[in-house]
Amino acid sequence: MKCPKILSLLLMILLLSTGYASAAPSQTLKIAAGDPEDSEMGVVGNAFKEYIEEKTKGDVEIQCFYSGSLGDESECLRNVQKGTLPMAMAGIANLVPFEKKLGLLTLPYLFSNIDEVVTGTNSAPAELLNSYATKSGFRILTWTYTDFRYISNAKRPITKMADMQGLKFRVPQSAVLIAAYKAFGGSPTPISWAETFTALQQGVVDGQCYGYIGFKANKFNEANQKYLTEVHYTYQLQPLVISERVFKKMTPEMQKLLIDAGKYAQEKVLKYQIEQADAAKKYLIDNGLQVSQLEDEDVWKKAAMEKVWPEMADFVGGKETINAYLKACGKPLWK
């Protein structure tokens, strides 16, 4: 009776010694992400992982950690900059403390539509942005598209700027977004992303801003968010960055593989965002979210261009930096 067991054991040893068993990865790279896996960040993380592991036949493993499980976005970015964490995905506003020129992407009404956003995150504009990032210890591999930051709140519909009065909004630690909310008549309160749901649920703030997919993934409809307004003041970009220190230690072949994986993931998330945003919107409306349109968005844009841009220009690198980016995008220069 023992012979079959012995034969099975010998066969297993033979398979292991001749390489037929699955080999362990020779390298593991971690990605930290602030949002849940069923968000745009999850699309990027899974596409990036799929590409790298398929191309290396499992020799390089990508491990994704979602919902801030490795720390909040600012903490993870600090670790990426130091090289103790290989990669992270974070909202663009959280990269600004490390490289102020990237703050130009948070200027209100910089982009009018998704076509302008795509133009501004590819080719020459993307190269310019990456030149800023690499000087601060980061290399951008993917731009995660997560829609315009629509404003939601717990108290009332917002259809004109006057409706912002008396409402407190969670914003990231972004001088530009703080200035924008003040210009729009709201009361901005910087709160870390990890604490946003609780702050909304407990009424510390009345509202926040996010696209439909992220809103649904983070379950903000369960945190008193009853009203949402489609205001197009800023498009939420969430770059996937790798530590420049880590990147420089890699072989040219590995560097190219990571860059190619980043492009693949970016194409995947753009397709996902375009296809799934309407489905997320429908789901939220069906579950009680009231969606409004602005009656006076031209007034919001005027306030942005006349108040926020002049006030924040130096904070994001000056007029020269802004115009260099606008020129790369093929847009009129700011005068």
Side-chain angles (χ1 to χ4, degrees):
M1 292 296 292
K2 292 183 179 179
C3 288
K5 291 183 180 180
I6 294 172
L7 288 173
S8 296
L9 181 61
L10 290 172
L11 182 59
M12 185 180 296
I13 294 170
L14 179 63
L15 288 171
L16 287 169
S17 65
T18 54
Y20 282 93
S22 298
S26 66
Q27 185 176 11
T28 299
L29 296 172
K30 293 181 179 180
I31 299 176
D35 282 353
E37 188 173 358
D38 58 343
S39 69
E40 293 94 338
M41 282 190 180
V43 174
V44 169
N46 289 330
F48 194 89
K49 174 182 175 69
E50 170 194 316
Y51 190 95
I52 293 291
E53 293 182 358
E54 181 179 320
K55 294 294 183 181
T56 64
K57 295 181 171 55
D59 189 49
V60 178
E61 180 186 19
I62 303 296
Q63 294 181 350
C64 300
F65 298 85
Y66 297 103
S67 299
S69 57
L70 293 186
D72 68 28
E73 291 186 353
S74 296
E75 178 186 357
C76 289
L77 289 171
R78 282 193 294 272
N79 290 334
V80 170
Q81 188 183 48
K82 290 186 293 186
T84 56
L85 175 67
M87 290 182 279
M89 275 183 276
I92 188 63
N94 289 322
L95 264 172
V96 177
F98 302 94
E99 176 46 65
K100 69 178 185 178
K101 289 182 178 180
L102 292 175
L104 67 87
L105 292 172
T106 65
L107 288 170
Y109 292 98
L110 175 66
F111 301 118
S112 300
N113 52 57
I114 185 60
D115 291 336
E116 290 188 5
V117 175
V118 172
T119 297
T121 48
N122 283 281
S123 303
E127 290 172 12
L128 182 61
L129 295 170
N130 229 340
S131 73
Y132 302 149
T134 51
K135 289 176 184 176
S136 299
F138 305 95
R139 180 174 294 268
I140 299 165
L141 296 175
T142 301
W143 289 101
T144 306
Y145 302 108
T146 63
D147 214 341
F148 285 94
R149 295 190 73 138
Y150 299 137
I151 293 175
S152 71
N153 81 97
K155 294 200 171 173
R156 58 177 176 263
I158 295 171
T159 60
K160 51 188 181 300
M161 190 182 289
D163 296 330
M164 294 283 284
Q165 292 289 336
L167 294 177
K168 294 181 292 183
F169 293 93
R170 177 270 169 188
V171 294
Q173 189 65 51
S174 164
V176 176
L177 290 179
I178 291 169
Y181 272 79
K182 288 180 178 178
F184 298 152
S187 178
T189 303
I191 294 175
S192 74
W193 185 239
E195 297 172 351
T196 297
F197 185 92
T198 302
L200 292 168
Q201 197 173 48
Q202 295 179 351
V204 176
V205 288
D206 302 308
Q208 61 84 51
C209 53
Y210 224 49
Y212 286 116
I213 295 172
F215 186 108
K216 178 176 177 286
N218 287 285
K219 301 181 179 178
F220 288 146
N221 53 318
E222 298 178 12
N224 301 318
Q225 297 303 281
K226 302 174 184 177
Y227 308 99
L228 180 145
T229 301
E230 292 188 354
V231 53
H232 305 87
Y233 76 103
T234 190
Y235 192 97
Q236 171 72 334
L237 290 163
Q238 298 174 323
L240 167 62
V241 296
I242 186 170
S243 169
E244 187 68 358
R245 292 184 181 186
V246 172
F247 187 81
K248 283 183 175 179
K249 292 177 182 178
M250 294 176 168
T251 64
E253 293 77 17
M254 187 61 191
Q255 289 177 349
K256 183 179 184 305
L257 184 65
L258 290 168
I259 291 170
D260 290 345
K263 291 176 181 176
Y264 174 79
Q266 187 164 319
E267 291 172 0
K268 284 281 190 179
V269 75
L270 177 60
K271 185 173 185 290
Y272 178 84
Q273 167 57 227
I274 291 171
E275 291 178 350
Q276 297 300 317
D278 283 344
K281 177 180 178 179
K282 183 179 184 305
Y283 171 86
L284 291 166
I285 291 173
D286 290 346
N287 283 271
L289 184 69
Q290 182 175 325
V291 175
S292 301
Q293 307 297 325
L294 283 180
E295 299 170 1
D296 62 347
E297 191 149 17
D298 56 329
V299 177
W300 295 60
K301 186 172 183 179
K302 187 172 185 288
M305 302 306 297
E306 293 183 359
K307 295 180 182 179
V308 184
W309 282 51
E311 180 184 346
M312 289 290 108
D314 288 342
F315 179 80
V316 301
K319 196 169 191 176
E320 184 179 344
T321 297
I322 295 170
N323 278 333
Y325 180 70
L326 292 174
K327 182 179 179 181
C329 293
K331 294 170 71 74
L333 301 186
W334 178 45
K335 297 180 181 179

